[in-house]
Amino acid sequence: MATGPSRGVSRTVLPGGLRVVTEFLPAVRSVALGIWVGVGSRDEDENHAGATHYLEHLLFKGTERRTALDISAEMDAVGGEMNAFTAKEYTCYYARVLDVDLPLAVDVLSDMVTSSLITPKDVDAERNVVLEEIAMNEDDPSDTVHEAFTAKLFGDTPLGRPILGTTDSINAITREQIHEHYLDRYTPEHLVVAAAGNLDHDVVVELVRQAFGPTLKRTAEPAAPRLGGDQVGQPAGTGTTLVSRGIEQANLVLGCEALARTDDRRFALGVLNAAFGGGMSSRLFQEVREKRGLAYSVYSFAGQHADTGMWGIYVGCLPSKADEVLAICAEEITRVVDGGLSDAELDRGKGQVRGSIVLGLEDPSSRMSRLGKSELVYPALEPVDEVIAAIDAVSHDDVREVAEEILTKPKALAVVGPFDDASAFGV
């Protein structure tokens, strides 16, 4: 089943439910290719914590046709780039190559995804690599504070646990558990092959059909997009969590539960967030850094999942200034809830969100990501013009309503720094 081009976008569903979505970009000489898997860390139970990310590593270790060296060498030989990432709700294996080398990229990535060996030897060797990655993140206080905030907000749930797993879970997980996760989740109905660049859709479809071969013989429909989850109705965490570290800076994240990915109010929250803490002209940056010099890094952020989201403020400051900074943040939240944004702030917020979306789609890799993510977590691919129109339509009333709804919620605070007592930080 295929759908025809729409502004360069075409979609075909192969037997077994495998989806192939492409976008033709005539102005480039490259192609970005991604194989997207509808599984993320939030799909893990406690016995498989960290398995999704661990598996991402292992798929680069070899197949029946290629060793780990063969995989990297074949891509290096054509100047291609290849990597992968694991998120809360999906995993992606991607490559960018010259247009003439697209057949190689399809073959290599498809071979990895469908025919990984996952040998006990590789599992043991890669275990140390994953543990090193966890240690590296724990050595970065800005990463640690965001992980601590997420855990505080969503609790001991799959969404609240770290994508990488923990030292204990990685040490405990077995090859059999990882392989079980692979066989259960890496099936055609959960996969999307997305590509953008100088390509022909029919050619890509045929390359994918050949590369996936026997795996397409099963009968299945594409998995439905992820539009819900187990966080609905779950109370968000509040209060303070402290990770005591003997470092020179206090790292703070103050925030609350926010909007799901498909909530229509996300455009208003995006504009509000941009004006409030999204750039050098934002209120937070001006009040905390420019006027008072209390922090080098300060910003607000919003993140969405299928069934919930988060909004928060990050600040890195001197430990002695933490209380003052938190007080200013609280004051600014109250001020924007009570008074909304000025006309100039509303316009700047719209412009910032609009510009970041359009500029972010100026290369094949971002176009490819848009296609893959839309198939897995959105009801449909939203035309860029419609997204821009929704941003432009945000009004002062929309901003005030979303500020009243979201920013007034009870807050969670995560602190990483040289402190001994979490009770000193009231939220």
Side-chain angles (χ1 to χ4, degrees):
M1 180 178 67
T3 57
S6 175
R7 297 187 181 182
V9 176
S10 301
R11 179 180 185 269
T12 297
V13 179
L14 292 173
L18 178 65
R19 287 155 285 178
V20 182
V21 190
T22 69
E23 183 170 11
F24 173 51
L25 305 175
V28 300
R29 288 292 309 276
S30 65
V31 177
L33 172 74
I35 299 182
W36 294 73
V37 191
V39 60
S41 62
R42 76 172 301 180
D43 298 301
E44 301 163 350
D45 57 29
E46 290 188 29
N47 291 329
H48 292 83
T52 307
H53 172 258
Y54 204 149
L55 183 57
E56 175 216 308
H57 280 237
L58 290 168
L59 262 60
F60 287 85
K61 303 302 288 185
T63 69
E64 292 183 0
R65 295 168 50 203
R66 293 177 172 92
T67 65
L69 178 59
D70 291 336
I71 291 171
S72 58
E74 288 186 31
M75 295 300 293
D76 287 346
V78 298
E81 303 168 355
M82 182 174 62
N83 212 326
F85 65 86
T86 304
K88 297 280 186 180
E89 297 180 328
Y90 45 78
T91 308
C92 177
Y93 302 84
Y94 61 91
R96 187 174 182 188
V97 294
L98 298 179
D99 48 14
V100 295
D101 296 316
L102 178 59
L104 173 66
V106 171
D107 189 47
V108 171
L109 288 187
S110 300
D111 189 28
M112 290 167 51
V113 168
T114 63
S115 305
S116 179
L117 296 177
I118 313 179
T119 66
K121 179 182 177 181
D122 288 334
V123 171
D124 289 340
E126 205 64 21
R127 192 185 309 274
N128 292 326
V129 176
V130 176
L131 291 172
E132 287 292 337
E133 188 173 354
I134 292 173
M136 180 179 68
N137 279 16
E138 290 179 346
D139 281 345
D140 186 333
S142 62
D143 286 342
T144 301
V145 75
H146 280 284
E147 290 282 10
F149 172 73
T150 302
K152 187 67 174 178
L153 190 65
F154 296 126
D156 187 20
T157 66
L159 195 58
R161 298 179 196 132
I163 292 172
L164 304 185
T166 65
T167 299
D168 288 342
S169 71
I170 296 303
N171 278 322
I173 201 165
T174 66
R175 186 267 177 188
E176 288 70 26
Q177 289 173 311
I178 297 172
H179 193 246
E180 175 188 29
H181 197 59
Y182 176 56
L183 295 178
D184 184 46
R185 298 290 185 169
Y186 279 60
T187 53
E189 67 268 28
H190 294 113
L191 303 179
V192 174
V193 179
N198 189 26
L199 54 79
D200 179 277
H201 177 74
D202 292 337
V203 171
V204 176
V205 170
E206 188 55 35
L207 289 171
V208 172
R209 189 193 307 272
Q210 294 175 10
F212 275 80
T215 65
L216 302 180
K217 291 184 178 180
R218 57 183 302 184
T219 301
E221 294 296 318
R226 188 194 296 265
L227 300 177
D230 54 10
Q231 287 295 133
V232 175
Q234 296 293 323
T238 58
T240 302
T241 184
L242 169 64
V243 180
S244 185
R245 294 277 176 85
I247 55 179
E248 298 299 318
Q249 189 179 55
N251 293 262
L252 315 168
V253 172
L254 175 70
C256 56
E257 189 175 21
L259 303 176
R261 184 183 291 114
T262 55
D263 193 306
D264 289 339
R265 297 169 296 170
R266 67 191 184 277
F267 301 109
L269 182 60
V271 171
L272 169 62
N273 182 68
F276 185 81
M280 294 176 66
S281 65
S282 68
R283 289 191 183 184
L284 277 182
F285 194 92
Q286 288 296 312
E287 291 296 325
V288 175
R289 175 168 167 168
E290 293 298 284
K291 292 182 180 179
R292 296 176 173 87
L294 293 173
Y296 175 76
S297 180
V298 54
Y299 58 85
S300 63
F301 61 91
Q304 290 87 37
H305 302 296
D307 51 345
T308 187
M310 65 175 72
W311 178 84
I313 297 168
Y314 167 82
V315 186
C317 63
L318 290 173
S320 61
K321 301 297 183 181
D323 287 338
E324 183 179 357
V325 167
L326 287 172
I328 294 170
C329 292
E331 289 170 6
E332 291 304 315
I333 290 173
T334 299
R335 192 160 71 91
V336 78
V337 168
D338 291 343
L341 302 175
S342 67
D343 289 341
E345 287 176 321
L346 183 68
D347 289 342
R348 282 202 303 270
K350 290 181 181 181
Q352 186 174 341
V353 177
R354 185 194 311 117
S356 66
I357 290 173
V358 175
L359 293 176
L361 293 175
E362 288 290 295
D363 68 271
S365 294
S366 57
R367 291 275 180 171
M368 178 275 291
S369 294
R370 176 171 172 265
L371 298 178
K373 287 178 64 176
S374 292
E375 277 291 326
L376 291 181
V377 299
Y378 285 101
L381 179 65
E382 293 181 296
V384 176
D385 289 346
E386 291 184 13
V387 175
I388 298 303
I391 294 166
D392 287 337
V394 172
S395 66
H396 282 293
D397 286 342
D398 295 330
V399 169
R400 280 191 291 267
E401 288 174 9
V402 80
E404 174 65 28
E405 170 69 21
I406 303 302
L407 272 59
T408 59
K409 289 184 177 182
K411 304 295 190 297
L413 172 66
V415 180
V416 177
F419 307 104
D420 297 322
D421 185 5
S423 65
F425 300 92
V427 294

PDB file of all heavy atoms in Angstrom, residues 41-45 88-89 154-161 226-235 257 305-308:
ATOM      1  N   SER A  41      12.855   3.319  26.579  1.00  0.00           N
ATOM      2  CA  SER A  41      13.115   2.846  27.936  1.00  0.00           C
ATOM      3  C   SER A  41      11.840   2.751  28.773  1.00  0.00           C
ATOM      4  O   SER A  41      11.785   1.978  29.728  1.00  0.00           O
ATOM      5  CB  SER A  41      14.124   3.765  28.632  1.00  0.00           C
ATOM      6  OG  SER A  41      13.617   5.089  28.740  1.00  0.00           O
ATOM      7  N   ARG A  42      10.798   3.494  28.422  1.00  0.00           N
ATOM      8  CA  ARG A  42       9.574   3.417  29.211  1.00  0.00           C
ATOM      9  C   ARG A  42       8.790   2.129  28.956  1.00  0.00           C
ATOM     10  O   ARG A  42       7.799   1.857  29.633  1.00  0.00           O
ATOM     11  CB  ARG A  42       8.695   4.631  28.992  1.00  0.00           C
ATOM     12  CG  ARG A  42       7.923   4.674  27.689  1.00  0.00           C
ATOM     13  CD  ARG A  42       6.921   5.829  27.665  1.00  0.00           C
ATOM     14  NE  ARG A  42       5.961   5.741  28.754  1.00  0.00           N
ATOM     15  CZ  ARG A  42       4.984   6.626  28.963  1.00  0.00           C
ATOM     16  NH1 ARG A  42       4.850   7.669  28.147  1.00  0.00           N
ATOM     17  NH2 ARG A  42       4.144   6.494  29.956  1.00  0.00           N
ATOM     18  N   ASP A  43       9.215   1.341  27.972  1.00  0.00           N
ATOM     19  CA  ASP A  43       8.585   0.054  27.700  1.00  0.00           C
ATOM     20  C   ASP A  43       9.198  -1.085  28.509  1.00  0.00           C
ATOM     21  O   ASP A  43       8.766  -2.237  28.379  1.00  0.00           O
ATOM     22  CB  ASP A  43       8.694  -0.279  26.209  1.00  0.00           C
ATOM     23  CG  ASP A  43       7.970   0.734  25.340  1.00  0.00           C
ATOM     24  OD1 ASP A  43       6.752   0.895  25.537  1.00  0.00           O
ATOM     25  OD2 ASP A  43       8.613   1.366  24.500  1.00  0.00           O
ATOM     26  N   GLU A  44      10.180  -0.794  29.315  1.00  0.00           N
ATOM     27  CA  GLU A  44      10.882  -1.831  30.070  1.00  0.00           C
ATOM     28  C   GLU A  44      10.223  -2.078  31.421  1.00  0.00           C
ATOM     29  O   GLU A  44       9.809  -1.135  32.097  1.00  0.00           O
ATOM     30  CB  GLU A  44      12.336  -1.417  30.295  1.00  0.00           C
ATOM     31  CG  GLU A  44      13.116  -1.179  29.014  1.00  0.00           C
ATOM     32  CD  GLU A  44      14.394  -0.395  29.245  1.00  0.00           C
ATOM     33  OE1 GLU A  44      14.582   0.119  30.371  1.00  0.00           O
ATOM     34  OE2 GLU A  44      15.191  -0.277  28.301  1.00  0.00           O
ATOM     35  N   ASP A  45      10.143  -3.354  31.811  1.00  0.00           N
ATOM     36  CA  ASP A  45       9.796  -3.647  33.191  1.00  0.00           C
ATOM     37  C   ASP A  45      11.083  -3.656  34.016  1.00  0.00           C
ATOM     38  O   ASP A  45      12.185  -3.444  33.480  1.00  0.00           O
ATOM     39  CB  ASP A  45       9.045  -4.979  33.307  1.00  0.00           C
ATOM     40  CG  ASP A  45       9.823  -6.155  32.722  1.00  0.00           C
ATOM     41  OD1 ASP A  45      11.080  -6.121  32.730  1.00  0.00           O
ATOM     42  OD2 ASP A  45       9.186  -7.114  32.262  1.00  0.00           O
ATOM     43  N   LYS A  88      13.040   7.801  25.517  1.00  0.00           N
ATOM     44  CA  LYS A  88      12.039   7.194  26.403  1.00  0.00           C
ATOM     45  C   LYS A  88      11.017   6.371  25.628  1.00  0.00           C
ATOM     46  O   LYS A  88      10.498   5.375  26.145  1.00  0.00           O
ATOM     47  CB  LYS A  88      11.303   8.277  27.186  1.00  0.00           C
ATOM     48  CG  LYS A  88      12.163   9.101  28.127  1.00  0.00           C
ATOM     49  CD  LYS A  88      12.439   8.379  29.426  1.00  0.00           C
ATOM     50  CE  LYS A  88      13.169   9.294  30.400  1.00  0.00           C
ATOM     51  NZ  LYS A  88      13.463   8.620  31.679  1.00  0.00           N
ATOM     52  N   GLU A  89      10.714   6.792  24.376  1.00  0.00           N
ATOM     53  CA  GLU A  89       9.604   6.173  23.662  1.00  0.00           C
ATOM     54  C   GLU A  89       9.963   5.627  22.284  1.00  0.00           C
ATOM     55  O   GLU A  89       9.083   5.124  21.585  1.00  0.00           O
ATOM     56  CB  GLU A  89       8.458   7.180  23.550  1.00  0.00           C
ATOM     57  CG  GLU A  89       7.906   7.573  24.921  1.00  0.00           C
ATOM     58  CD  GLU A  89       6.777   8.565  24.879  1.00  0.00           C
ATOM     59  OE1 GLU A  89       6.753   9.421  23.962  1.00  0.00           O
ATOM     60  OE2 GLU A  89       5.909   8.501  25.761  1.00  0.00           O
ATOM     61  N   PHE A 154       8.312  11.820  38.124  1.00  0.00           N
ATOM     62  CA  PHE A 154       7.546  10.658  37.668  1.00  0.00           C
ATOM     63  C   PHE A 154       7.709   9.424  38.554  1.00  0.00           C
ATOM     64  O   PHE A 154       7.060   8.402  38.325  1.00  0.00           O
ATOM     65  CB  PHE A 154       7.919  10.317  36.223  1.00  0.00           C
ATOM     66  CG  PHE A 154       7.573  11.396  35.237  1.00  0.00           C
ATOM     67  CD1 PHE A 154       8.539  11.903  34.382  1.00  0.00           C
ATOM     68  CD2 PHE A 154       6.294  11.917  35.173  1.00  0.00           C
ATOM     69  CE1 PHE A 154       8.229  12.899  33.473  1.00  0.00           C
ATOM     70  CE2 PHE A 154       5.964  12.917  34.274  1.00  0.00           C
ATOM     71  CZ  PHE A 154       6.937  13.407  33.421  1.00  0.00           C
ATOM     72  N   GLY A 155       8.587   9.512  39.541  1.00  0.00           N
ATOM     73  CA  GLY A 155       8.707   8.439  40.519  1.00  0.00           C
ATOM     74  C   GLY A 155       9.356   7.182  39.960  1.00  0.00           C
ATOM     75  O   GLY A 155       9.976   7.186  38.888  1.00  0.00           O
ATOM     76  N   ASP A 156       9.179   6.082  40.682  1.00  0.00           N
ATOM     77  CA  ASP A 156       9.775   4.810  40.282  1.00  0.00           C
ATOM     78  C   ASP A 156       8.882   4.125  39.250  1.00  0.00           C
ATOM     79  O   ASP A 156       8.254   3.089  39.496  1.00  0.00           O
ATOM     80  CB  ASP A 156       9.975   3.913  41.506  1.00  0.00           C
ATOM     81  CG  ASP A 156      10.748   2.642  41.158  1.00  0.00           C
ATOM     82  OD1 ASP A 156      11.430   2.626  40.114  1.00  0.00           O
ATOM     83  OD2 ASP A 156      10.638   1.661  41.918  1.00  0.00           O
ATOM     84  N   THR A 157       8.803   4.752  38.099  1.00  0.00           N
ATOM     85  CA  THR A 157       8.038   4.236  36.966  1.00  0.00           C
ATOM     86  C   THR A 157       8.986   4.140  35.775  1.00  0.00           C
ATOM     87  O   THR A 157      10.072   4.735  35.786  1.00  0.00           O
ATOM     88  CB  THR A 157       6.879   5.167  36.606  1.00  0.00           C
ATOM     89  OG1 THR A 157       7.415   6.417  36.115  1.00  0.00           O
ATOM     90  CG2 THR A 157       5.995   5.453  37.819  1.00  0.00           C
ATOM     91  N   PRO A 158       8.599   3.425  34.727  1.00  0.00           N
ATOM     92  CA  PRO A 158       9.477   3.378  33.546  1.00  0.00           C
ATOM     93  C   PRO A 158       9.826   4.753  33.001  1.00  0.00           C
ATOM     94  O   PRO A 158      10.942   4.969  32.533  1.00  0.00           O
ATOM     95  CB  PRO A 158       8.653   2.556  32.551  1.00  0.00           C
ATOM     96  CG  PRO A 158       7.834   1.651  33.402  1.00  0.00           C
ATOM     97  CD  PRO A 158       7.463   2.485  34.604  1.00  0.00           C
ATOM     98  N   LEU A 159       8.875   5.701  33.064  1.00  0.00           N
ATOM     99  CA  LEU A 159       9.154   7.041  32.561  1.00  0.00           C
ATOM    100  C   LEU A 159      10.093   7.805  33.478  1.00  0.00           C
ATOM    101  O   LEU A 159      10.849   8.671  33.037  1.00  0.00           O
ATOM    102  CB  LEU A 159       7.843   7.807  32.385  1.00  0.00           C
ATOM    103  CG  LEU A 159       7.889   9.086  31.542  1.00  0.00           C
ATOM    104  CD1 LEU A 159       8.408   8.792  30.147  1.00  0.00           C
ATOM    105  CD2 LEU A 159       6.508   9.724  31.480  1.00  0.00           C
ATOM    106  N   GLY A 160      10.080   7.480  34.761  1.00  0.00           N
ATOM    107  CA  GLY A 160      10.935   8.172  35.713  1.00  0.00           C
ATOM    108  C   GLY A 160      12.330   7.603  35.819  1.00  0.00           C
ATOM    109  O   GLY A 160      13.227   8.256  36.364  1.00  0.00           O
ATOM    110  N   ARG A 161      12.541   6.392  35.313  1.00  0.00           N
ATOM    111  CA  ARG A 161      13.855   5.761  35.424  1.00  0.00           C
ATOM    112  C   ARG A 161      14.775   6.227  34.296  1.00  0.00           C
ATOM    113  O   ARG A 161      14.324   6.602  33.222  1.00  0.00           O
ATOM    114  CB  ARG A 161      13.713   4.241  35.379  1.00  0.00           C
ATOM    115  CG  ARG A 161      12.897   3.678  36.527  1.00  0.00           C
ATOM    116  CD  ARG A 161      12.753   2.166  36.429  1.00  0.00           C
ATOM    117  NE  ARG A 161      11.684   1.701  37.305  1.00  0.00           N
ATOM    118  CZ  ARG A 161      10.715   0.864  36.960  1.00  0.00           C
ATOM    119  NH1 ARG A 161      10.682   0.386  35.726  1.00  0.00           N
ATOM    120  NH2 ARG A 161       9.788   0.512  37.824  1.00  0.00           N
ATOM    121  N   ARG A 226       2.032   5.767  19.248  1.00  0.00           N
ATOM    122  CA  ARG A 226       1.959   5.834  20.705  1.00  0.00           C
ATOM    123  C   ARG A 226       1.273   7.144  21.113  1.00  0.00           C
ATOM    124  O   ARG A 226       1.866   8.211  21.077  1.00  0.00           O
ATOM    125  CB  ARG A 226       3.364   5.780  21.297  1.00  0.00           C
ATOM    126  CG  ARG A 226       3.391   5.651  22.828  1.00  0.00           C
ATOM    127  CD  ARG A 226       4.770   5.941  23.356  1.00  0.00           C
ATOM    128  NE  ARG A 226       5.766   5.006  22.909  1.00  0.00           N
ATOM    129  CZ  ARG A 226       6.163   3.921  23.579  1.00  0.00           C
ATOM    130  NH1 ARG A 226       5.628   3.640  24.745  1.00  0.00           N
ATOM    131  NH2 ARG A 226       7.094   3.133  23.088  1.00  0.00           N
ATOM    132  N   LEU A 227       0.018   7.025  21.528  1.00  0.00           N
ATOM    133  CA  LEU A 227      -0.763   8.200  21.890  1.00  0.00           C
ATOM    134  C   LEU A 227      -1.202   8.187  23.346  1.00  0.00           C
ATOM    135  O   LEU A 227      -1.959   9.051  23.778  1.00  0.00           O
ATOM    136  CB  LEU A 227      -1.997   8.310  20.983  1.00  0.00           C
ATOM    137  CG  LEU A 227      -1.712   8.441  19.484  1.00  0.00           C
ATOM    138  CD1 LEU A 227      -3.011   8.470  18.697  1.00  0.00           C
ATOM    139  CD2 LEU A 227      -0.878   9.671  19.189  1.00  0.00           C
ATOM    140  N   GLY A 228      -0.751   7.226  24.114  1.00  0.00           N
ATOM    141  CA  GLY A 228      -1.113   7.152  25.518  1.00  0.00           C
ATOM    142  C   GLY A 228      -0.035   6.429  26.297  1.00  0.00           C
ATOM    143  O   GLY A 228       0.969   5.983  25.740  1.00  0.00           O
ATOM    144  N   GLY A 229      -0.267   6.310  27.605  1.00  0.00           N
ATOM    145  CA  GLY A 229       0.717   5.649  28.442  1.00  0.00           C
ATOM    146  C   GLY A 229       0.175   5.441  29.841  1.00  0.00           C
ATOM    147  O   GLY A 229      -0.986   5.740  30.138  1.00  0.00           O
ATOM    148  N   ASP A 230       1.050   4.944  30.707  1.00  0.00           N
ATOM    149  CA  ASP A 230       0.612   4.566  32.044  1.00  0.00           C
ATOM    150  C   ASP A 230       0.715   5.692  33.065  1.00  0.00           C
ATOM    151  O   ASP A 230       0.461   5.484  34.246  1.00  0.00           O
ATOM    152  CB  ASP A 230       1.418   3.363  32.539  1.00  0.00           C
ATOM    153  CG  ASP A 230       2.921   3.600  32.474  1.00  0.00           C
ATOM    154  OD1 ASP A 230       3.331   4.754  32.234  1.00  0.00           O
ATOM    155  OD2 ASP A 230       3.681   2.633  32.653  1.00  0.00           O
ATOM    156  N   GLN A 231       1.070   6.906  32.631  1.00  0.00           N
ATOM    157  CA  GLN A 231       1.191   8.015  33.580  1.00  0.00           C
ATOM    158  C   GLN A 231      -0.132   8.736  33.803  1.00  0.00           C
ATOM    159  O   GLN A 231      -0.249   9.541  34.734  1.00  0.00           O
ATOM    160  CB  GLN A 231       2.229   9.029  33.085  1.00  0.00           C
ATOM    161  CG  GLN A 231       3.673   8.558  33.193  1.00  0.00           C
ATOM    162  CD  GLN A 231       4.122   8.348  34.635  1.00  0.00           C
ATOM    163  OE1 GLN A 231       4.723   7.340  34.962  1.00  0.00           O
ATOM    164  NE2 GLN A 231       3.824   9.299  35.498  1.00  0.00           N
ATOM    165  N   VAL A 232      -1.114   8.477  32.949  1.00  0.00           N
ATOM    166  CA  VAL A 232      -2.397   9.160  33.086  1.00  0.00           C
ATOM    167  C   VAL A 232      -3.017   8.811  34.441  1.00  0.00           C
ATOM    168  O   VAL A 232      -3.157   7.642  34.797  1.00  0.00           O
ATOM    169  CB  VAL A 232      -3.353   8.764  31.949  1.00  0.00           C
ATOM    170  CG1 VAL A 232      -4.723   9.380  32.179  1.00  0.00           C
ATOM    171  CG2 VAL A 232      -2.797   9.206  30.603  1.00  0.00           C
ATOM    172  N   GLY A 233      -3.368   9.838  35.190  1.00  0.00           N
ATOM    173  CA  GLY A 233      -3.963   9.624  36.504  1.00  0.00           C
ATOM    174  C   GLY A 233      -2.966   9.435  37.627  1.00  0.00           C
ATOM    175  O   GLY A 233      -3.356   9.387  38.801  1.00  0.00           O
ATOM    176  N   GLN A 234      -1.682   9.337  37.290  1.00  0.00           N
ATOM    177  CA  GLN A 234      -0.656   9.180  38.318  1.00  0.00           C
ATOM    178  C   GLN A 234      -0.275  10.554  38.871  1.00  0.00           C
ATOM    179  O   GLN A 234       0.019  11.471  38.107  1.00  0.00           O
ATOM    180  CB  GLN A 234       0.589   8.498  37.743  1.00  0.00           C
ATOM    181  CG  GLN A 234       0.366   7.083  37.260  1.00  0.00           C
ATOM    182  CD  GLN A 234       0.044   6.133  38.389  1.00  0.00           C
ATOM    183  OE1 GLN A 234       0.587   6.247  39.484  1.00  0.00           O
ATOM    184  NE2 GLN A 234      -0.859   5.198  38.132  1.00  0.00           N
ATOM    185  N   PRO A 235      -0.243  10.721  40.180  1.00  0.00           N
ATOM    186  CA  PRO A 235       0.143  12.028  40.729  1.00  0.00           C
ATOM    187  C   PRO A 235       1.616  12.318  40.482  1.00  0.00           C
ATOM    188  O   PRO A 235       2.469  11.427  40.600  1.00  0.00           O
ATOM    189  CB  PRO A 235      -0.152  11.876  42.229  1.00  0.00           C
ATOM    190  CG  PRO A 235      -0.080  10.398  42.486  1.00  0.00           C
ATOM    191  CD  PRO A 235      -0.580   9.740  41.235  1.00  0.00           C
ATOM    192  N   GLU A 257       4.806  18.845  36.268  1.00  0.00           N
ATOM    193  CA  GLU A 257       4.219  18.107  35.150  1.00  0.00           C
ATOM    194  C   GLU A 257       3.578  19.099  34.186  1.00  0.00           C
ATOM    195  O   GLU A 257       3.033  20.124  34.590  1.00  0.00           O
ATOM    196  CB  GLU A 257       3.184  17.119  35.672  1.00  0.00           C
ATOM    197  CG  GLU A 257       2.681  16.155  34.626  1.00  0.00           C
ATOM    198  CD  GLU A 257       1.734  15.114  35.199  1.00  0.00           C
ATOM    199  OE1 GLU A 257       1.153  15.363  36.284  1.00  0.00           O
ATOM    200  OE2 GLU A 257       1.563  14.048  34.563  1.00  0.00           O
ATOM    201  N   HIS A 305       5.795  13.797  26.315  1.00  0.00           N
ATOM    202  CA  HIS A 305       5.684  12.372  26.059  1.00  0.00           C
ATOM    203  C   HIS A 305       4.264  12.101  25.569  1.00  0.00           C
ATOM    204  O   HIS A 305       3.464  13.019  25.394  1.00  0.00           O
ATOM    205  CB  HIS A 305       5.994  11.575  27.324  1.00  0.00           C
ATOM    206  CG  HIS A 305       7.358  11.862  27.883  1.00  0.00           C
ATOM    207  ND1 HIS A 305       8.522  11.557  27.196  1.00  0.00           N
ATOM    208  CD2 HIS A 305       7.755  12.436  29.048  1.00  0.00           C
ATOM    209  CE1 HIS A 305       9.562  11.916  27.923  1.00  0.00           C
ATOM    210  NE2 HIS A 305       9.122  12.457  29.043  1.00  0.00           N
ATOM    211  N   ALA A 306       3.956  10.837  25.348  1.00  0.00           N
ATOM    212  CA  ALA A 306       2.658  10.502  24.779  1.00  0.00           C
ATOM    213  C   ALA A 306       1.504  10.896  25.683  1.00  0.00           C
ATOM    214  O   ALA A 306       0.445  11.324  25.204  1.00  0.00           O
ATOM    215  CB  ALA A 306       2.599   9.006  24.474  1.00  0.00           C
ATOM    216  N   ASP A 307       1.678  10.747  26.990  1.00  0.00           N
ATOM    217  CA  ASP A 307       0.577  10.936  27.924  1.00  0.00           C
ATOM    218  C   ASP A 307       0.807  12.022  28.959  1.00  0.00           C
ATOM    219  O   ASP A 307      -0.077  12.327  29.749  1.00  0.00           O
ATOM    220  CB  ASP A 307       0.300   9.622  28.656  1.00  0.00           C
ATOM    221  CG  ASP A 307       1.574   9.020  29.252  1.00  0.00           C
ATOM    222  OD1 ASP A 307       2.678   9.450  28.868  1.00  0.00           O
ATOM    223  OD2 ASP A 307       1.473   8.106  30.083  1.00  0.00           O
ATOM    224  N   THR A 308       1.971  12.624  28.960  1.00  0.00           N
ATOM    225  CA  THR A 308       2.293  13.653  29.937  1.00  0.00           C
ATOM    226  C   THR A 308       3.493  14.456  29.424  1.00  0.00           C
ATOM    227  O   THR A 308       3.959  14.250  28.307  1.00  0.00           O
ATOM    228  CB  THR A 308       2.606  13.018  31.311  1.00  0.00           C
ATOM    229  OG1 THR A 308       2.768  14.054  32.288  1.00  0.00           O
ATOM    230  CG2 THR A 308       3.871  12.184  31.268  1.00  0.00           C
TER     231      THR A 308
END
